[in-house]
Amino acid sequence: MTEIRLDTLTKRYGTSTAVDGIDLTIGEGEFFSLLGPSGCGKSTTLRMIAGFVTPSAGRILLGDDDVTALPPEARDIGIVFQNYAIFPHMNVAANIAFGLKMRKVGKAEIDKRVREVLAQVGLEGYENRYSRELSGGEQQRVALARVLVTRPRILLLDEPLSALDKNMREEMKFWIKDLQKSLGITTVYVTHDQDEALTMSDRIGVMERSRLVQVGTPEEIYERP
Ligand code: ADP
Ligand code: ADP
């Protein structure tokens, strides 16, 4: 449970501004969606929080820690992309264990955590399956498990459902929301889909041409006259 604070967060590429002075506080345990059309700066904002893109100006705080200058691996975050691509040559357990092995976690602890996280994402007994044997939704659950197993303090999701077909997307939408609530993990969810933002979020931040133009609950955003 960690608060996220963005302080005049800005990214410029040459003379164009991708993200223009975002001020935003996302509360502990909140499900926050960044909503807006393609090219408005959502991904760049998320990638700055993750540490993959260096801000031109501004600060990023996770709890009391200023992480603006920290590399991604020192930020203790989990991020899942649209193209979640789990490793096809590794089974589910190996995919999930991968990050822990890199962190030199012991084998017994890894096995325990893999079982635990598979239960959390509703894939008990899937340890030995390969990605070709999984549906798109199941692969996305594995991608989430791979991130959650490292016990990140915040979760960043970049259009995680857009590669799925409509029915699967509908199902996963509710599933992700329930999982987020049961874990209580502060979550930033990037989407261009109003319906996803409306269904899943505690609050929504609407972006337009590199600016954050409105912040509110789904009711406030959608039911304003
Ligand atoms: P969104 O996620 O809302 O679709 P992005 O954050 O990906 O938007 O992009 C915001 C703007 O910044 C776009 O105009 C995009 O072309 C530009 N942009 C993103 N990444 C780069 C980059 N590495 N170099 C130059 N321009 C970029
Ligand atoms: P997303 O699928 O998250 O919207 P994009 O397809 O916009 O990402 O961008 C893919 C990659 O290309 C990213 O690393 C992004 O930073 C980079 N990129 C996006 N727009 C531009 C641009 N106008 N010039 C250079 N690189 C860009």
Side-chain angles (χ1 to χ4, degrees):
M1 295 267 245
T2 304
E3 183 181 88
I4 304 170
R5 213 140 44 89
L6 309 182
D7 175 13
T8 58
L9 192 63
T10 299
K11 182 63 183 179
R12 295 181 209 98
Y13 289 107
T15 54
S16 77
T17 303
V19 174
D20 193 358
I22 292 192
D23 285 306
L24 175 67
T25 299
I26 298 171
E28 290 183 8
E30 187 170 22
F31 194 119
F32 191 95
S33 290
L34 279 176
L35 173 70
S38 181
C40 70
K42 308 181 295 294
S43 273
T44 303
T45 303
L46 203 74
R47 282 162 209 236
M48 285 195 280
I49 300 172
F52 300 138
V53 170
T54 308
S56 309
R59 293 192 310 156
I60 300 157
L61 289 99
L62 301 185
D64 293 327
D65 305 328
D66 186 335
V67 300
T68 317
L70 294 184
E73 62 275 13
R75 292 188 182 197
D76 200 10
I77 58 106
I79 185 162
V80 176
F81 299 100
Q82 171 184 341
N83 305 313
Y84 38 85
I86 56 179
F87 303 123
H89 60 288
M90 291 182 195
N91 67 22
V92 165
N95 263 284
I96 295 172
F98 188 77
L100 296 180
K101 281 198 179 137
M102 307 276 284
R103 280 159 224 234
K104 308 256 186 277
V105 178
K107 182 167 175 0
E109 173 70 12
I110 288 181
D111 289 347
K112 177 171 150 267
R113 286 223 221 160
V114 168
R115 268 198 312 278
E116 236 169 56
V117 81
L118 280 175
Q120 276 174 345
V121 302
L123 292 178
E124 291 102 331
Y126 275 59
E127 281 89 344
N128 296 318
R129 303 236 197 153
Y130 285 83
S131 58
R132 62 178 177 276
E133 304 170 300
L134 305 175
S135 72
E138 288 169 343
Q139 290 185 41
Q140 195 55 294
R141 287 176 195 235
V142 173
L144 261 162
R146 191 167 60 180
V147 154
L148 292 174
V149 79
T150 65
R151 300 181 179 160
R153 50 180 170 173
I154 64 168
L155 183 60
L156 307 175
L157 304 172
D158 193 349
E159 308 251 6
L161 305 184
S162 23
L164 304 177
D165 68 42
K166 192 173 182 308
N167 289 332
M168 187 62 75
R169 206 155 58 222
E170 204 53 29
E171 182 187 324
M172 289 292 287
K173 197 162 82 175
F174 292 101
W175 178 79
I176 290 180
K177 182 182 170 56
D178 288 348
L179 178 71
Q180 188 273 342
K181 280 290 159 254
S182 72
L183 297 174
I185 188 169
T186 310
T187 299
V188 187
Y189 187 91
V190 159
T191 184
H192 61 268
D193 185 314
Q194 293 200 3
D195 190 52
E196 279 179 21
L198 175 64
T199 309
M200 300 170 82
S201 317
D202 295 314
R203 282 190 309 152
I204 298 168
V206 181
M207 287 190 72
E208 225 175 80
R209 278 176 274 114
S210 76
R211 288 212 164 86
L212 187 63
V213 293
Q214 199 185 354
V215 176
T217 64
E219 293 72 23
E220 288 165 347
I221 299 283
Y222 287 101
E223 287 171 16
R224 185 163 294 176

